Amino acid sequence: MQVNQYSHKLIQKAIRRYKYNDYINQDETNEDFLHRYAFFTKGKKIKNNLSNLYIVLNGTPNCNHIAAKNLLFQGNDDCWKFFERTAQFFAYSYTGGSFPFIDPIAPLLNYALYVERIDLIELLLEKAADDLERDEYKNNKEYIKQKVYPSTYLIHFLIEKLGIPNPVKDKVMQYGDGLGIYERIVADWDNHFNDIEEEYWDSLCEYHLNGIGVTGTKWKDEEFIYFGLVPMELINLFKVRQKLGLSVPVIKHELFSTPMAKYPTIPTGYNSDLDVKFQLVERTKKEAKIYTFEEIVEQLKKEHGEDAELFY
């Protein structure tokens, strides 16, 4: 797909910067993953790092969110497996550590909602509830006065609308400056979205494009850095409304004419039980034992059959 088939300068810039047309060599990705795994399990580190070993999952983006976006742009339906793997890796890596501030959990929640993994949303919210009870949120001005992206409020609003218990929404809403550009979404939630003027939806698309890291490197320029050209926050908005039987607008902005605005195929075909990388980390954590890819493959084929379609 050619860059110049799109007229919007920020779309062109994103395609060039993030190299969505590039092929990702999975053999090289496997080596990178194993190198990171080896670093966290070398010598006595395996005992010291077992509690947070899941952070290994998030260290090689070419095997999760970068692969997902490139394959989507290239029209390869394997992208959906990678999107769900990304949601899985993001959520589990978060349980292995903590985020000091509120915003970083929002992309993780969006990925989980995008592939409709309610279990991952619940896992993330449970961990977030613990993080938000830390002492820093009670006596540290940097935490108390922290900025919060408008889209962070939006994802918590959508989760609530789906009926998923959210122990952190009310606390999150106490920080930052509110919904901003998304205030109208909340105010008009029970109305027909088709009645909202086209210019508003265009402004949301422009807002997304200005937050994917191609206009600058300040905080405000990177709200959607993990999504890239995928308008995930808007797709999730529309998916939730569809599930609730509410109207969804037709978006005419050029962003929605790119392959990145395609709705996910659910189920994606991803199965974490057959994910060699995930099982490598999972079994290491459970058994406190270092494995090779070959040993994990042997175990999985023994458990699921020689013809099992393993995912690397």
Side-chain angles (χ1 to χ4, degrees), residues 54-66 68-69 82-97 99 104-112 120 123-124 127 225-227 232 270 278:
Y54 284 133
I55 62 177
V56 172
L57 298 172
N58 201 24
T60 49
N62 277 349
C63 75
N64 48 71
H65 72 93
I66 291 179
K69 286 177 285 191
F82 281 94
F83 272 111
E84 186 166 350
R85 168 190 264 180
T86 300
Q88 177 95 3
F89 281 20
F90 277 0
Y92 275 77
S93 63
Y94 177 43
T95 67
F99 286 132
I105 193 178
L108 284 59
L109 290 168
N110 268 288
Y111 268 89
L120 297 180
L123 180 68
L124 288 165
K127 182 63 167 61
I225 194 76
Y226 279 102
F227 305 163
M232 194 176 292
Y270 175 76
F278 182 76

Side-chain angles (χ1 to χ4, degrees), residues 254-300:
E254 190 174 31
L255 175 60
F256 272 75
S257 71
T258 72
M260 309 303 260
K262 187 177 180 180
Y263 279 50
T265 297
I266 306 294
T268 66
Y270 175 76
N271 183 345
S272 62
D273 290 339
L274 300 177
D275 185 336
V276 176
K277 290 187 175 72
F278 182 76
Q279 289 301 320
L280 173 67
V281 174
E282 178 83 342
R283 295 178 188 223
T284 298
K285 184 176 173 64
K286 288 182 178 179
E287 304 296 333
K289 177 184 175 182
I290 298 174
Y291 290 99
T292 64
F293 270 157
E294 291 75 19
E295 288 171 328
I296 297 299
V297 168
E298 183 179 357
Q299 288 186 17
L300 294 179

Side-chain angles (χ1 to χ4, degrees), residues 8 10-11 198-199 201-209 234 250-258 261:
H8 199 296
L10 293 183
I11 293 177
E198 184 178 326
E199 288 76 14
W201 302 114
D202 285 346
S203 72
L204 293 184
C205 292
E206 290 295 322
Y207 183 72
H208 178 92
L209 288 171
L234 299 179
V250 175
I251 307 298
K252 297 180 181 179
H253 190 280
E254 190 174 31
L255 175 60
F256 272 75
S257 71
T258 72

Side-chain angles (χ1 to χ4, degrees), residues 19 36 49 56 69 127 141 144 160 214 288:
K19 302 177 181 179
R36 181 172 172 81
N49 289 322
V56 172
K69 286 177 285 191
K127 182 63 167 61
K141 289 184 179 179
I144 295 170
E160 182 181 58
V214 295

